[in-house]
């Protein structure tokens, strides 16, 4: 019986997932990120101190646990990969070369309400760069370039990475005279969910904002742009603060760098804040064109204070692709397909069970040259063996004989072939993933 929020893909979907993961992995490595895997569990207090709510963390305990009162010993499944990564950096900083660039592709668990594209067990693919003491800002500008290249390599709709900088928002709120900037951020982050009127009322209620201050916060949140014009629009609101200046300069750098690499990839969007408390500067959210209603499929940001040892800090910047989320949304809309339901390229037909050993030898010769091959399960009539291949989308059937022949069952063309040298067209060798 299926359990809500814990997806299990069928083999064709799993092949699409593997294809996507291969593209992600190869792009991450092209940019010099090294692979890492951390344990699935962390102490509960570590998880709860980084901005996640206790109702979303899954606890881990033995079935026969006697004493559940020892809070300090409780373990929880990680809800993202950034918190475990920060802990890993702290524990291994003496063995790492900085700046340290890593990628992680792992399952995470979050006890939120399941819906289309949003699960309780899901796969994430993260990249982060951390450094000792200070991290140069140019790493913030690199993150969207990597993600842009990943998405460009996949048969999916174009992606738009929305970027903001918390310094812009916090400096602006401070310049308005609102001191509890974190609360203002959290409130404005609800804009898409509850609308401007309710956000304005909440700002008055939670931080004592006047109508003028609330209106200014909402005006800032309306600003977006794919070029540097957003800076002038923020300046036109007439608020000044040194932190605001710093944030605008940084945000402009991200937008301009991405615009040169891939026009249209990045857009400054001053309403996004990201929910997690540990972000301190640049924040990213990514939407697929035509799928905006599903929200972000890739997000992240800059964090200054997530990891430290004594007086040494390890600031970082990272971004995470919600692989299961992305695929779940696209599967739900039949937007991805695969050319066959199995990896097999060739089925070797079996004329009689006495000849099965010869058929296995042919399959072995093909496999040695990298051609995915299986031998027919029974020595049925050749028509049925062809049907067996056809139902699975396998393009070729090999007939042992004097000489051997191979048939493209799509076109009906049948030619003589030698297992030691025959080669299918490159497009047929492996299943092909396409836009649905």
């Amino acid at each position: 019986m299926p359990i809500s929020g814990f997806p299990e893909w069928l083999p064709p979907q799993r092949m699409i997932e593997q294809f996507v993961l291969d593209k992600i992995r190869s792009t991450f490595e092209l940019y010099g990120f090294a692979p890492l895997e951390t344990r699935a569990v962390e102490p509960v207090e570590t998880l709860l101190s980084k901005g996640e709510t206790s109702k979303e963390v899954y606890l881990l305990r033995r079935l026969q646990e006697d004493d559940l009162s020892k809070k300090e010993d409780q373990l929880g499944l990680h809800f993202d990969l950034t918190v475990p990564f920060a802990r890993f950096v702290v524990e291994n900083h003496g063995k790492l070369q900085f700046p340290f660039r890593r990628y992680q592709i792992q399952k995470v668990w979050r006890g939120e309400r399941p819906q289309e594209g949003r699960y309780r067990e899901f796969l994430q693919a993260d990249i982060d760069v951390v450094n000792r003491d200070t991290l140069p800002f140019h790493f913030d500008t690199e993150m969207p370039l990597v993600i842009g290249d990943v998405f460009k390599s996949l048969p999916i709709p174009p992606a738009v990475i929305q970027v903001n900088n918390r310094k812009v928002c916090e400096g602006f709120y401070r310049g308005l005279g609102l001191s509890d900037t974190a609360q203002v951020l959290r409130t404005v982050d609800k804009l898409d969910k509850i609308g401007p009127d309710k956000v304005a009322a909440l700002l008055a209620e939670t931080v004592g904002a006047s109508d003028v201050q609330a209106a200014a916060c909402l005006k800032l949140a309306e600003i977006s742009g794919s070029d540097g014009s957003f800076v002038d629009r923020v300046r036109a609101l007439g608020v000044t603060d040194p932190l605001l200046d710093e944030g605008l300069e940084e945000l402009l750098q991200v937008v301009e760098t991405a615009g040169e690499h891939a026009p249209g990839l990045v857009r400054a969007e001053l309403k996004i804040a990201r929910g997690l408390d540990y972000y301190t500067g640049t924040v990213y959210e990514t939407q697929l064109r035509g799928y905006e209603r599903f929200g972000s499929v890739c997000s992240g940001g800059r964090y200054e204070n997530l990891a430290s040892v004594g007086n040494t800090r390890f600031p970082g910047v990272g971004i995470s692709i919600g692989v299961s989320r992305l695929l779940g949304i696209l599967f739900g809309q039949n937007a991805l397909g695969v050319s066959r339901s199995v990896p097999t390229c060739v089925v070797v037909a079996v004329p009689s069970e006495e000849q099965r050993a010869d058929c296995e030898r042919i399959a072995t010769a093909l496999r040695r040259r990298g051609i995915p091959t299986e031998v027919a399960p029974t020595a049925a009539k050749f028509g049925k063996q062809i049907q067996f291949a056809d139902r699975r989308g396998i393009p070729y059937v090999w007939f042992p004989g004097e000489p051997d022949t191979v048939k493209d069952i799509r076109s009906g063309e049948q030619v003589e072939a030698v297992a030691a040298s025959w080669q299918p067209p490159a497009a047929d060798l492996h299943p092909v993933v396409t836009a649905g």
Side-chain angles (χ1 to χ4, degrees), residues 81-220:
L81 300 177
T82 309
V83 171
F85 173 57
R87 188 263 313 152
F88 179 89
V89 169
V90 167
E91 290 179 6
N92 294 279
H93 65 96
K95 304 169 193 166
L96 303 176
Q97 297 294 318
F98 292 98
F100 178 47
R101 301 161 70 82
R102 82 83 175 85
Y103 73 86
Q104 247 176 290
I105 301 175
Q106 278 182 250
K107 290 280 181 78
V108 300
W109 295 267
R110 198 173 293 177
E112 58 186 1
R113 188 168 63 84
Q115 50 192 289
E116 191 170 8
R118 196 176 284 279
Y119 304 110
R120 290 175 167 175
E121 177 184 64
F122 51 100
L123 194 60
Q124 285 192 184
D126 284 27
I127 47 171
D128 285 80
V129 184
V130 293
N131 202 29
R132 198 187 294 273
D133 298 322
T134 59
L135 181 71
F137 185 76
H138 64 77
F139 290 111
D140 292 46
T141 70
E142 184 186 32
M143 293 289 142
L145 312 188
V146 185
I147 297 305
D149 285 0
V150 167
F151 284 175
K152 200 167 62 178
S153 73
L154 299 172
I156 63 175
V160 177
I161 303 175
Q162 301 175 330
V163 188
N164 195 5
N165 193 305
R166 284 195 171 181
K167 293 175 187 174
V168 172
C169 302
E170 290 178 29
F172 187 86
Y173 303 150
R174 202 190 287 171
L176 280 176
L178 297 169
S179 57
D180 190 353
T181 56
Q183 181 57 51
V184 181
L185 263 177
R186 281 194 292 272
T187 306
V188 173
D189 198 35
K190 297 175 181 172
L191 199 52
D192 284 344
K193 288 180 184 167
I194 64 174
D197 293 343
K198 286 185 178 168
V199 165
L202 262 181
L203 286 171
E205 186 186 315
T206 57
V207 296
S210 67
D211 290 349
V212 172
Q213 287 170 323
C217 292
L218 292 170
K219 277 201 167 64
L220 180 73

Side-chain angles (χ1 to χ4, degrees), residues 12-24:
Q13 294 172 316
R14 178 69 174 145
M15 286 196 294
I16 294 171
E17 182 183 60
Q18 294 285 39
F19 167 82
V20 168
L21 292 176
D22 287 344
K23 293 289 187 184
I24 290 171

